[in-house]
Amino acid sequence: MENLPRFTAAAVQASPVYLDAAATVDKAVSLIHEAAGNGASLIVFPEVFVPGYPYWNWTMNPVQGSPWFERLQRSSVDVPGPHVDTLRAAARQAGATIVIGVNERAAHSLGVLYNTLLTIGADGELLGVHRKLVPTWAEKLTWTGGDGSSLRVHRTRIGPLGVLACGENTNTLARFTLLAQGELVHAASYIALPVAPEDYDMADAIALRTAAHSFEGKVYSVVACSTISPEIVEQIAGDDPDVRKLLARPRSALSGIFGPDGRPVTEPLVDDEGIVYAEIDLAKCIQPKQMHDIVGHYNRFDIFRLQVDNRPRSPLTLTAVEGDEPAPATLKEEA
């Protein structure tokens, strides 16, 4: 690692075109080209940016929210699929590494959606599909948890890159798993959360988590959070003044770039739409690691051991019996 990368990172803070995957992907492509035009080689988008976050889980009971789940399922993303292809093409055209959150439909069940982070290389290759391990609180009404197979650090042009979604950045063992694979750049994607308890400041929470990971691991963190547009308020709240007031709560979003000392490299953006840019110089991770390297000399691996099951999990395992006719690879559709 003689020549550690030095580059510009961009953290996108924006709203989706709510529950419209195609229009949101178009918006993402426009933002990719804007950020790349300003010199960004890494562009990080919010959690489930395509096509948005299920706020109804927090404002309605499960019966009222069920039709909204169907709307989300119908406008979610297939991986692989045409929306992913569009994002891959945009990354290739921009020459930038992209991290973007999507609602991913499962191939095997209409009832399964994943909160997924896509990592796309600057050449357009789909490097990673990370499914959020544990949906947070009310999110369990919408998403199925992923498995450990996607807890991987990707070797990219901008350095060793790892990603986690929102509350996963509170999970010490998940973060350590990435750090122990040599992560130097961490992408953290969030959603604006005005529906949290009254004493919960989401902007402060995001900053605290991001600073903690950067300081503990001596890495750079790029954190991107969504915003809540008037369109989202209109759809979710309707004529309910209490829900309207709730969704308008300030300090619900924060995006920015944090350095290996745990401090913001530049002023974070709170609540408003925009893109935060900052220069990242991975050589600045070296000296801090001499003091505290929790995946190296500042640990006791004779005492502590983390075992991660990174096997992909499938709902079905078929075991062939000798003499059985093999099942057809595909089923023909009826004419």
Side-chain angles (χ1 to χ4, degrees), residues 224-273:
C225 187
S226 61
T227 58
I228 296 184
S229 65
E231 170 199 20
I232 295 174
V233 175
E234 198 63 37
Q235 290 196 51
I236 297 298
D239 296 327
D240 189 324
D242 292 332
V243 176
R244 281 181 170 272
K245 182 180 178 181
L246 182 66
L247 294 177
R249 179 178 166 186
R251 297 191 56 80
S252 295
L254 179 144
S255 298
I257 294 106
F258 289 66
D261 59 0
R263 296 187 178 97
V265 177
T266 189
E267 189 68 24
L269 181 64
V270 176
D271 289 342
D272 297 327
E273 285 213 8

Side-chain angles (χ1 to χ4, degrees), residues 54-142:
Y55 287 106
W56 55 86
N57 286 345
W58 304 83
T59 65
M60 305 176 190
N61 67 47
V63 175
Q64 293 169 321
S66 187
W68 288 85
F69 175 87
E70 181 173 347
R71 288 183 63 185
L72 179 62
Q73 201 277 349
R74 289 180 178 273
S75 190
S76 289
V77 172
D78 296 318
V79 182
H83 295 315
V84 178
D85 290 343
T86 299
L87 293 167
R88 290 177 60 199
R92 184 169 56 250
Q93 291 163 6
T97 301
I98 309 298
V99 177
I100 186 167
V102 302
N103 286 274
E104 179 196 357
R105 280 193 291 246
H108 69 281
S109 173
L110 294 175
V112 172
L113 290 178
Y114 296 110
N115 178 330
T116 297
L117 287 175
L118 305 178
T119 302
I120 304 170
D123 58 358
E125 181 183 354
L126 181 61
L127 300 176
V129 180
H130 172 63
R131 295 164 173 169
K132 190 173 186 179
L133 299 176
V134 181
T136 304
W137 205 350
E139 294 173 357
K140 293 178 176 67
L141 290 167
T142 293

Side-chain angles (χ1 to χ4, degrees), residues 319-326:
T319 304
V321 178
E322 189 175 352
D324 281 358
E325 289 292 324

Side-chain angles (χ1 to χ4, degrees), residues 305-319:
R305 180 179 300 170
L306 174 61
Q307 179 176 321
V308 178
D309 187 342
N310 64 352
R311 292 173 295 179
R313 297 294 181 179
S314 171
L316 176 66
T317 301
L318 295 175
T319 304

